[in-house]
Amino acid sequence: MGAIAGVVATVLTLLTYVLPREPAVPAPAPGAGAGPSPGPDPTSPTQARPDRTPPDRTTTPTADATKDHPVTRTPRPPAPGRLPSLAPLRPAGCEEALAVVDRFYRTSGSTRQSRQAAATTAYQGMMGASLQAEGGVYQATVALSQDFSELRFILSGMVASDYEVVQARTDRDAQHLRDVCDAG
């Protein structure tokens, strides 16, 4: 029961501060002020009297409200410096196809087995790259996948062809792919 009375008292105290107060000036009595005004006309701007009624008493801020409180600021991200220049956009399939070509030249060693493994990996990668390629990039990826396939057949002994001729054609097709991709 005591807790309910405390809550009610708190609510009533809160309402006394929140609700507007009635004016401090009493309402005029009936019949008063019905006659002529004895002084100057209060409606004329030059003769108007200032309002001398005391203002409503407002609550004064407590000592805690007037204290300086530290201001919490959220840190700003650092101002961006000079932005790096963006690389020009290449046609679809270029990035993947060029990565396959570069990997082929890096991993193709001096032995027959390492060149065959590099050609097989490049063939599979170029087939995947051709799925995303369009236009001239697609044509270059198909030509390169045929070159890599022929290289792996030559190196495995399945086809009797000149390895150097096919490698030279692969080099030309790889350069053509670079040119197409750089032209955008």
Side-chain angles (χ1 to χ4, degrees):
M1 191 68 144
I4 295 174
V7 170
V8 170
T10 304
V11 169
L12 287 176
T13 304
L14 179 67
L15 288 176
T16 59
Y17 285 109
V18 173
L19 294 177
R21 297 179 186 221
E22 293 189 25
V25 177
S37 169
D41 183 16
T43 58
S44 70
T46 58
Q47 299 294 327
R49 288 183 273 167
D51 185 21
R52 297 193 188 264
T53 59
D56 288 345
R57 183 177 172 159
T58 59
T59 59
T60 59
T62 62
D64 186 43
T66 59
K67 289 183 183 175
D68 289 334
H69 293 288
V71 177
T72 305
R73 297 179 191 251
T74 55
R76 285 186 174 176
R82 193 163 181 228
L83 295 176
S85 63
L86 298 175
L89 292 177
R90 291 183 167 172
C94 277
E95 296 299 322
E96 189 175 344
L98 290 172
V100 168
V101 169
D102 291 341
R103 185 176 38 234
F104 169 74
Y105 285 113
R106 275 194 327 268
T107 59
S108 181
S110 59
T111 66
R112 185 179 194 98
Q113 287 179 333
S114 68
R115 288 184 285 190
Q116 183 182 357
T120 301
T121 303
Y123 166 73
Q124 293 168 345
M126 199 55 71
M127 290 299 289
S130 68
L131 295 175
Q132 298 175 1
E134 297 175 352
V137 177
Y138 175 77
Q139 293 170 351
T141 58
V142 169
L144 279 167
S145 62
Q146 290 171 349
D147 293 342
F148 291 134
S149 178
E150 191 171 352
L151 283 175
R152 69 188 179 125
F153 286 141
I154 292 171
L155 292 167
S156 68
M158 298 170 95
V159 173
S161 190
D162 188 8
Y163 175 81
E164 298 300 324
V165 170
V166 177
Q167 182 62 48
R169 186 176 65 227
T170 303
D171 294 341
R172 281 193 308 274
D173 288 343
Q175 184 58 49
H176 176 68
L177 174 68
R178 283 186 175 84
D179 294 341
V180 169
C181 287
D182 287 343

